[in-house]
Each structure stands twice: as structure tokens, then as C-alpha cells.
Amino acid sequence: MRLSRSSCLGEKMKLTRAFSTGISIVIRRNIAYLDTFLPPGGKVIIQTISNVGFIIHLFILGLKIDWTIIKKAGSKAILIGAASYAFPFSLGSLTVFFINSTIGLPKQVVHCAATVISLSSMTSFPVTTTVLEELNILNSELGRLATNCSIVCEACGCLVALAFNLYTRERTMNGVWGIVMISCLLGSIAGIFRPSIIWLTQRKSKSMDNKDVVPFYPILLILSIVSIASEVFGVHAAFGAFWLGVSLPDGPPLGTELATKLDMIASSMLLPCFIAISGLNTNFFEITESHENHVLMIEVILLVTYGCKFLGTAAASAYCKTPIGDALCLGFLMCCQGIIEVYTTLVWKDAQSTLMAQHFTAAAPFSSINNDVCTLGLDKKATLIVLPFHKQYAIDGTVGRVHGPIRNINLNVLEAAPCSVALFIDRGECEGRRSVLMSNTWQNVAVLFIGGRDDAEALALCMRMAEKPELNVTMIHFRHKSSLQDEDYSAMDEYNLIKDFKSHAANKGKVHYVEEIVKDGVETTQVISSLGEAYDMVLVGRDHDLESSVLYGLTDWSECPELGVIGDMLTSPDFHFSVLVVHQQQGDADLAIDDSYKLPVEHQKVGDTRIQPRFSAEEGFTTIDLSKN
């Protein structure tokens, strides 16, 4: 198997990737630098470029692999590969169980430990072949054994992940259907795309009378089709790209020419962008003294897991009569981690979630889609339905497009929804604001509280957001001057909710309570207008008491009454932050709940007013009964 770059170039690339990761972790602390040189809009572009580089990199890696080695994996490789996964996974899990039963661990630490064990137990086939190639031992006997063992180890990890998925989610048919789809993808690569590329190469070679010429752009088109098909079938685009590369001949002219043309731009230019973005998502500075014990536990689990992986691989190799030197080297090789593990970590990090979101796709006419939304919400016992506002905003903040049918859908859903409904005004791309399309980018969130059920629902949702350590959450409480001497709110539950948020703000540095004293709607408007660029998103309830002095003068005219008085005001082009207008659907009395935002008594310490990991009921509607006394 031929190498497409020199060892010197390989060392420079490794240094470039390491430098990209290190510098990204450091500059993440400098918010001014990030806002200047890497604004949110620019981050989307770099993420797209980096993903393209990641896909092409795995395609090139697949090109350098002789796929016939997969058929040669014998019982020796199966035993070593299985041991390399089973030892760390089982003993690491037992370690977590022992520590948890002995001294007790917080739920989030147990979840983190499970993720660490799964990640440490796996050995990625592409990463192993990359290491072997850079060491120039890919074609040696040890290199072939390590390649076969990594294939087995990765297969074990996939089977365990699938079994866990089926067990926890109880979606057996969906899991089986996913396997069928992936099998169809691999079959299409082997039976359709591979023969098509070989035929195109032979045809162009004959027409150009040059055996070293390859149809470069048609191959890139096929690579794009395979990558998109992978996403459609539920796996990452790089999965299809890698196996397309594996299916193609690794030697000249096809494999060599493609690797030569793509290697420099993908591996040397685009891939460091992927590593840099990964570094920007890493923040070691969030580890404070309160987390030191938890970090120590994770470090112990890491040492146990990697130790078991090394010893398990070496012991299984020795049992198979592998020379002791090769057995030890194989143990080190199977412990290597690389770009696949970086990507897997990012996927798991993004998957953790302020709520559980379920994604469904349905085709329906505009006239009846509201029925599908409400029926699905009832079937799934949804607690919140989020709908897009019918106006889309351009980059300069003005209204760029108006969708009349979407407004009709929103009105119908608001009238008949079985749970709470929120209308989302997305200004993510306005003047470089932070977009909902980019994960983990919001930093400053505010909730405007005037009073009423809808504001209480918005505040409860905002308290859930306050559990995210990277978010700054602010409650802006509007009160009339006459209420300063009267602390008795119209509903006791509303009073308790505000009191709990005040206590929450006192205990957490990134949670703030602001009280604004106003005398009429004019001063209320002035306060809201002064928000300026301080927030990325603002939450507000839809309906309020229209007789309230705080809103006096604001109820005479409204362009979008479905948003309420304040929500309609926030649609003005003068504001550049995103807005979530929350409406609490009214349910029957026996379905209403209250105090659902508090911690259970058995887990609540003295002076601890943190909310529990949910703000809604497990069954029924998401309501907070403010009529009870």
C-alpha cells in the first residue's frame, strides 16, 4: 500500500492539528477575541467547511485501505478484538457500580462515567489504520493484525450500542429498520457506486489515452450522493464516504490519483478547522473546586478502563501465542484514540439536553397540518409545542418574508393544542446574532414577567434553562408603583414561583433578578427598548391582564394579536434578539398541577432552591394552576 505524503509532512500535519486544538481551547476564554474574529455567522461557515474536510479525510483514509483484509480476519483477531472491548467495558462498569454503591455519585457524574467508559472501550478502525500508516507498519504482520482487531472491536461497540438503544427506547422495529437501511447503503456502495466509478475511470482513460487520468468531478459528485444518503439513512455522512473509499481500488491510478489531489486540501487545510471547532467546544476552565472530587472519580475510571483495555488486549494476544513484544505493541495500538473519538464526543455532547425533543417528519396540506401537530402532541404527551413565527427576518433585521399559511397554522394550533404552545421569532442571523441553528451558542437569556399564567409558564421554562451552566439567565419583573406596598399577588402560586426564582438567583452567579418599577405602558416600552444588544433570546408570556397599569396605552393597536401585547411589540425591526412567546394551554382542573418546578422534598437541602430536572408533569398537560390558594 503506497503512502501519499512523506513522514515529514505527516509530522507537520500532526503538529498543526495539536496546535489548532490547543489554541482553540485557550482563545475560547477570550470572548472579545471570539466576537471579533469568529462571530456566530462565521462559526457556521467554519463548521460547514470543517465537516466537509472531515468527510473527505475519511474518504481518503478508506482509499488507502485494502478491503480484502476485512475478509481475512480470523479467530485470532476476533478473540483479541472482542477482549479489547469486553475487558474495559465490563470492568469499567463494575468500577462505577462499586463507587456509586459505596460512596454515592451524582446522577450527572454516573452518566458522564458511562459515556467515558463507552468512549474508552472502543477502538476505531479508521483511527487505527491512520496510526499504522503514520508509523509505516500498515502492511506488516503486526499492522494487519491490529487492523483486523480494530474492525472486530468497533463491531462489538456498534452491537452493544444497538442493544442498549433497543433496550432503553423500546423501538425494536426502528432499530431493525435502521440496520436494513445501513445494509442497503453498503450494498449500493458495493453494487452500484463502486462499479460506476471504475467504469467512468476506464472510459476516461481510453478517451484520453492516458491510464493515470481519473474522472475527478464525477467521483466528487458520487461522494456527495453517498454522503447525503448516509445522513438520510440515519448515520453520519462520513460513514458512507469512508466505506466508498474502502470499496475502491487502493492502488494506481484511481486510489493514488484521488489521494494525491484531495489529501493536501482536506487533511492539511480543512481538517484542522474541524479540530479547531472541537477545541472551541471544550472549556477546562469550568472545572471549579466544587467539581474536583467528580473529576477525580472520572480520572480513576479512565485509568481503570484504559488499563483493562491494554491488559486485556495484551493477555488475549499472548494467549494466541503472539510474541510478547508484539502483544505489548498491539495493546498500545488498540488504546490509541483519534479524530473519530473527537467527533463521537461532540455528538454525545450535543445530544445531552434544557428538555427531550422528538423529531418527526410528516407531509400534509396547510389546511390540515394543525390537526396533525395537535394529534401528535396528544399521542406523545408533549409538554410544549414550538412553532415558527410566520415572518422571517433578513440579515439587517427587517422583515424579509411573510408566510400567511404558517400564521393560520399557528392560530389553529393555539386554539386546539393539548399542551402549552410557544411561537418562536428567530432573529439568529440578524446582524451576527446567535442562531438557534448552532448548538450551545446562546449565552444571555431574559424573561419578561408582568403576571399571569403565560408569564408563569415562561418563567418556569426559563428556570429550566438556568440549569445550563453556560447560560446567563435574567428575570425582568415589571411592577407598578402602587404594588410596592402590596406584596400579595392575585395568585399564591405565582408569588411562590417568583420567590423561588429570587432564591435561585441568590444561589447562582449566572442567574439574575431585576425589578423594574413603571407607572404605565410608556415606561414599560422604554424599559424593553433599553434591552438593546444585551440578550440573545427573550421569553415572554402571550396573554396578560389588559387592565394592568403596566400595559396602559399598549392595548390600543396590535398587528399580530396571537403574540399578545408584549410579543407583538417585540416583532418590531428595532429589536435584534430572538423571542419565544409562551402560551399555557388551559386544561381541566384535574389535569392542572402546581409547584412542579420545585425539588422533591427528599432531595432538597436547607436553603437549596434549585429546580428539579423538569418543569412539567410526567402525564397530561403542562400547566401551573395559579387559581388555587
Side-chain angles (χ1 to χ4, degrees):
M1 198 173 301
R2 295 177 57 186
L3 299 179
S4 61
R5 62 180 182 270
S6 65
S7 300
C8 181
L9 180 58
E11 292 299 323
K12 289 182 179 178
M13 290 177 59
K14 288 188 285 184
L15 289 174
T16 301
R17 297 172 195 168
F19 180 77
S20 300
T21 306
I23 198 67
S24 300
I25 293 175
V26 173
I27 67 174
R28 189 188 193 278
R29 290 286 293 172
N30 194 329
I31 303 300
Y33 178 89
L34 289 179
D35 292 339
T36 303
F37 295 97
L38 195 62
K43 187 177 179 181
V44 173
I45 297 175
I46 294 181
Q47 284 178 327
T48 303
I49 293 175
S50 66
N51 284 324
V52 172
F54 179 65
I55 292 170
I56 297 178
H57 174 74
L58 286 192
F59 173 69
I60 297 172
L61 187 60
L63 278 173
K64 299 174 182 178
I65 296 174
D66 183 4
W67 66 273
T68 58
I69 64 174
I70 300 176
K71 300 187 297 182
K72 300 176 182 178
S75 57
K76 182 178 181 179
I78 293 175
L79 176 61
I80 298 174
S84 180
Y85 183 84
F87 270 74
F89 185 82
S90 57
L91 294 180
S93 301
L94 288 176
T95 302
V96 174
F97 177 78
F98 175 77
I99 296 176
N100 191 31
S101 59
T102 303
I103 62 176
L105 292 173
K107 185 177 180 181
Q108 61 269 25
V109 177
V110 175
H111 179 74
C112 178
T115 304
V116 166
I117 291 171
S118 300
L119 193 64
S120 304
S121 301
M122 65 181 291
T123 298
S124 175
F125 173 45
V127 170
T128 303
T129 51
T130 301
V131 174
L132 294 172
E133 181 196 11
E134 292 181 347
L135 294 175
N136 202 18
I137 58 172
L138 187 58
N139 286 325
S140 66
E141 183 178 351
L142 177 62
R144 289 192 292 269
L145 178 60
T147 301
N148 293 330
C149 292
S150 65
I151 294 174
V152 175
C153 187
E154 187 167 20
C156 291
C158 293
L159 291 175
V160 171
L162 177 62
F164 181 77
N165 231 9
L166 298 179
Y167 175 75
T168 54
R169 299 188 180 182
E170 298 181 356
R171 297 178 184 174
T172 305
M173 290 308 299
N174 287 344
V176 173
W177 181 245
I179 295 176
V180 172
M181 298 288 280
I182 294 175
S183 301
C184 291
L185 174 64
L186 295 177
S188 300
I189 290 174
I192 299 177
F193 297 113
R194 179 180 183 271
S196 300
I197 292 176
I198 294 176
W199 178 77
L200 288 172
T201 303
Q202 294 174 347
R203 181 182 177 185
K204 186 159 187 176
S205 298
K206 291 181 180 179
S207 63
M208 301 290 293
D209 195 19
N210 188 345
K211 294 183 179 180
D212 293 331
V213 176
V214 296
F216 183 69
Y217 293 107
I219 292 177
L220 287 184
L221 177 61
I222 294 176
L223 174 61
S224 303
I225 294 174
V226 172
S227 300
I228 295 173
S230 300
E231 290 284 348
V232 172
F233 289 164
V235 294
H236 192 269
F239 175 87
F242 174 75
W243 287 106
L244 177 64
V246 172
S247 68
L248 297 178
D250 60 308
L254 192 58
T256 305
E257 289 297 316
L258 285 176
T260 302
K261 291 183 177 181
L262 294 174
D263 205 12
M264 180 61 69
I265 185 172
S267 300
S268 301
M269 295 179 61
L270 301 184
L271 195 61
C273 292
F274 179 83
I275 302 298
I277 289 293
S278 305
L280 288 175
N281 290 325
T282 305
N283 188 3
F284 291 119
F285 299 97
E286 287 187 359
I287 301 176
T288 60
E289 293 182 1
S290 59
H291 299 127
E292 287 182 355
N293 292 333
H294 299 162
V295 173
L296 179 62
M297 294 299 173
I298 298 298
E299 290 175 349
V300 170
I301 294 168
L302 271 172
L303 290 174
V304 171
T305 306
Y306 275 106
C308 293
K309 187 173 184 67
F310 175 78
L311 294 176
T313 303
S317 302
Y319 177 80
C320 295
K321 299 181 179 179
T322 302
I324 188 63
D326 289 351
L328 295 176
C329 291
L330 187 59
F332 283 116
L333 287 170
M334 296 297 286
C335 289
C336 290
Q337 305 275 281
I339 192 171
I340 301 298
E341 286 75 21
V342 171
Y343 173 76
T344 305
T345 303
L346 291 178
V347 170
W348 284 346
K349 181 179 182 293
D350 292 339
Q352 294 184 19
S353 161
T354 52
L355 297 171
M356 181 182 71
Q358 297 188 37
H359 300 273
F360 300 90
T361 302
F366 280 112
S367 59
S368 63
I369 195 172
N370 57 285
N371 295 326
D372 295 339
V373 172
C374 295
T375 302
L376 188 61
L378 183 63
D379 292 341
K380 297 299 180 179
K381 298 179 181 177
T383 57
L384 180 68
I385 296 175
V386 181
L387 301 172
F389 187 48
H390 68 278
K391 294 181 180 180
Q392 289 185 351
Y393 291 84
I395 191 71
D396 60 353
T398 60
V399 177
R401 192 176 181 185
V402 178
H403 299 272
I406 292 182
R407 185 181 189 185
N408 293 331
I409 293 171
N410 293 347
L411 292 171
N412 292 331
V413 172
L414 281 169
E415 181 180 359
C419 60
S420 296
V421 180
L423 298 180
F424 183 65
I425 304 172
D426 186 12
R427 290 193 179 100
E429 297 303 325
C430 293
E431 297 187 357
R433 305 298 295 174
R434 299 178 181 272
S435 175
V436 70
L437 300 177
M438 298 183 296
S439 60
N440 301 322
T441 56
W442 282 336
Q443 291 183 348
N444 300 295
V445 176
V447 55
L448 307 182
F449 191 94
I450 296 175
R453 287 177 173 265
D454 290 353
D455 275 3
E457 186 82 344
L459 181 57
L461 177 58
C462 199
M463 291 176 71
R464 277 299 311 271
M465 293 181 176
E467 290 300 304
K468 275 291 196 181
E470 64 269 20
L471 281 182
N472 291 296
V473 178
T474 303
M475 173 187 175
I476 304 175
H477 187 191
F478 292 87
R479 299 182 62 189
H480 192 258
K481 292 182 178 180
S482 61
S483 67
L484 293 178
Q485 300 175 351
D486 184 12
E487 291 285 347
D488 187 17
Y489 293 93
S490 59
M492 193 51 134
D493 288 326
E494 181 178 329
Y495 172 79
N496 291 333
L497 183 61
I498 297 173
K499 181 180 178 181
D500 281 353
F501 189 91
K502 288 182 179 180
S503 301
H504 206 54
N507 294 332
K508 286 202 170 186
K510 291 193 174 184
V511 181
H512 311 281
Y513 174 83
V514 177
E515 198 170 77
E516 295 288 349
I517 308 302
V518 296
K519 65 178 181 180
D520 53 23
V522 175
E523 292 190 358
T524 300
T525 303
Q526 291 174 350
V527 173
I528 296 177
S529 299
S530 66
L531 296 180
E533 306 293 325
Y535 299 100
D536 302 314
M537 187 178 73
V538 172
L539 287 80
V540 65
R542 176 197 180 203
D543 295 329
H544 303 91
D545 180 10
L546 299 182
E547 301 297 327
S548 173
S549 301
V550 175
L551 301 177
Y552 182 76
L554 299 180
T555 60
D556 298 335
W557 180 85
S558 178
E559 181 182 359
C560 301
E562 68 270 21
L563 297 178
V565 177
I566 304 299
D568 182 70
M569 179 196 306
L570 295 177
T571 62
S572 169
D574 297 334
F575 301 99
H576 296 139
F577 45 71
S578 297
V579 182
L580 191 68
V581 181
V582 182
H583 172 64
Q584 185 189 81
Q585 190 64 283
Q586 304 300 310
D588 296 333
D590 57 340
L591 290 172
I593 62 172
D594 55 0
D595 294 337
S596 65
Y597 49 85
K598 291 183 177 179
L599 282 171
V601 177
E602 62 270 19
H603 297 302
Q604 195 166 7
K605 301 178 182 179
V606 177
D608 187 0
T609 55
R610 294 177 299 165
I611 60 171
Q612 60 178 342
R614 62 180 181 87
F615 76 96
S616 59
E618 295 179 358
E619 300 285 339
F621 303 139
T622 304
T623 55
I624 300 176
D625 190 359
L626 301 178
S627 61
K628 289 186 178 181
N629 294 320

